[in-house]
Each structure stands twice: as structure tokens, then as C-alpha cells.
Amino acid sequence: DGGITQSPKYLFRKEGQNVTLSCEQNLNHDAMYWYRQDPGQGLRLIYYSQIVNDFQKGDIAEGYSVSREKKESFPLTVTSAQKNPTAFYLCASSHKGDTEAFFGQGTRLTVV
Amino acid sequence: SQQGEEDPQALSIQEGENATMNCSYKTSINNLQWYRQNSGRGLVHLILIRSNEREKHSGRLRVTLDTSKKSSSLLITASRAADTASYFCATLLQSYQLTFGKGTKLSVIP
């Protein structure tokens, strides 16, 4: 089945630790996106990538890092520099960036 | 800052009624899209309207776009309890950033 997969669904992190969220797609899409969703604030763009080995900062990139070494994969690392990382993280992909986006089911990150 | 802003923030209607949600945005766009999110899940694409289009239909959905006013509306006709969800507009900027608003939470009462 074609789609976009995020893992894990739930993730717990201790303060001061880095953690990496996985996002994989087999839709052959060029563009991939990472969003953060907090209650009442909608989706905020963290990073996006139009092609392999290239990515751009979104509105709230501080404390996050990404890589795009393969077309299918766009992992997001939440670093210890992110002061309030507890949130719902959503990954999306689209063909060429100007068509509909397909979303994963999200990863809920909690700092304990 | 977020590009799109939906209005109202929350909407409660009876089953069978129509639901209208509005979206305003700030800068020039390539296209505008509407998405739906059930609680705790990923978003699902509903409809895309390009900047040179004024109206688009898909089943019970009707979307309009007014680029002079930088606004769009989503109409859901003959609503059903299963339409209960949050609805987001998303704008694709020239730089290919896809940015979302805060959403409208729709409750359809059976």
C-alpha cells in the first residue's frame, strides 16, 4: 500500500535528550514537510524539503534539525535546545510541492 | 506567523444543516487547500483551488476563492454527524511553503 508512515506513534523523552522522529513515504513524492501541532494553535511549519539533500527552515525551526538523504525519508530530530517539545508532530509529503499533501498519522511526543 | 486564519474557531450545527467556514490569508498564493482532521489523527486533503479559479465543487463540498480579498470559504451541505472534525485551510506560497491556519472545529449534532 502506498502512503506515508510516521513512527513511533507515542514517544517519551527525558529532558536534555535528543530524539528522532521517523517519516517514510513510498509515494515517490519530491516534497516533504514537518509540522508541530499544539492545542488551539493549528499546524506550524518546522522544516520542509523540495528535493533530496535540500531543506528549508519553516516558522519554528529553532531546536529542531532534519536530513533528506533519501527521497523516501525525512527524519526530524528534536534536540535538547527545544525548550517546549511536548506536542503532536505531523509529517506530510506532496508531488512537486504544488499539489495535495498526504499526512502521516502523527507522533505524540511527551517530555517527562 | 501563520498565513491563514479560519473563522469561526468553532461551529455547532444540527445534522442536515449547511456549515460554512472562512479562511483569510496575507500574501500571494499558488493555491489554497482545505483539509479535515479527526481528533488525534493526521490530516486528510479535501479540495484544492488554484489562484486562477474562483469556485470548485467536490460532492457536498463547495469552495470559493477571492484573491482580491485574500479569502476563501468552505461550504459543507447537508451535514452529517460524521462530518464532525476540525477543518483547516492551507496556502501554498511562492516559495513552496505549505502553511496552515488554526482551524475551525465543527460539531454536527445528530
Side-chain angles (χ1 to χ4, degrees), chain A residues 1-5 26-27:
Chain A
D1 288 336
I4 181 165
T5 303
N26 60 4
L27 300 166

Side-chain angles (χ1 to χ4, degrees), chain A residues 3-6 21-35 45-58 66-76 90-104, chain B residues 92 95-98 100:
Chain A
I4 181 165
T5 303
Q6 289 186 243
L21 282 60
S22 171
C23 179
E24 303 277 333
Q25 54 98 359
N26 60 4
L27 300 166
N28 199 32
H29 285 169
D30 293 301
M32 296 189 75
Y33 303 84
W34 272 107
Y35 295 91
L45 182 63
I46 305 173
Y47 269 97
Y48 66 104
S49 168
Q50 293 297 312
I51 56 172
V52 175
N53 292 322
D54 185 58
F55 48 82
Q56 305 296 328
K57 292 181 179 180
V66 293
S67 63
R68 187 85 187 275
E69 297 176 0
K70 298 187 296 182
K71 191 175 186 179
E72 316 82 73
S73 180
F74 191 41
L76 173 75
L90 287 159
C91 180
S93 70
S94 68
H95 181 56
K96 292 184 179 177
D98 64 349
T99 57
E100 65 179 285
F102 290 79
F103 279 79
Chain B
L92 186 72
S95 57
Y96 287 99
Q97 287 188 67
L98 184 62
F100 287 78

Side-chain angles (χ1 to χ4, degrees), chain B residues 25-102:
Chain B
Y25 58 92
K26 297 173 185 174
T27 62
S28 296
I29 59 172
N30 283 329
N31 65 52
L32 186 142
Q33 304 174 34
W34 285 91
Y35 289 79
R36 166 194 168 124
Q37 183 183 34
N38 288 86
S39 182
R41 306 294 299 274
L43 278 71
V44 175
H45 181 266
L46 296 176
I47 197 164
L48 181 154
I49 186 165
R50 301 198 181 277
S51 57
N52 61 352
E53 297 176 312
R54 292 295 168 258
E55 187 170 313
K56 209 161 182 181
H57 297 255
S58 177
R60 293 184 295 113
L61 306 180
R62 173 181 170 251
V63 167
T64 61
L65 178 64
D66 187 335
T67 53
S68 66
K69 294 182 180 178
K70 291 187 171 60
S71 68
S72 173
S73 67
L74 170 67
L75 169 67
I76 303 174
T77 60
S79 64
R80 306 165 182 168
D83 294 328
T84 294
S86 291
Y87 292 82
F88 295 88
C89 70
T91 50
L92 186 72
L93 307 182
Q94 302 294 334
S95 57
Y96 287 99
Q97 287 188 67
L98 184 62
T99 61
F100 287 78
K102 295 183 180 183

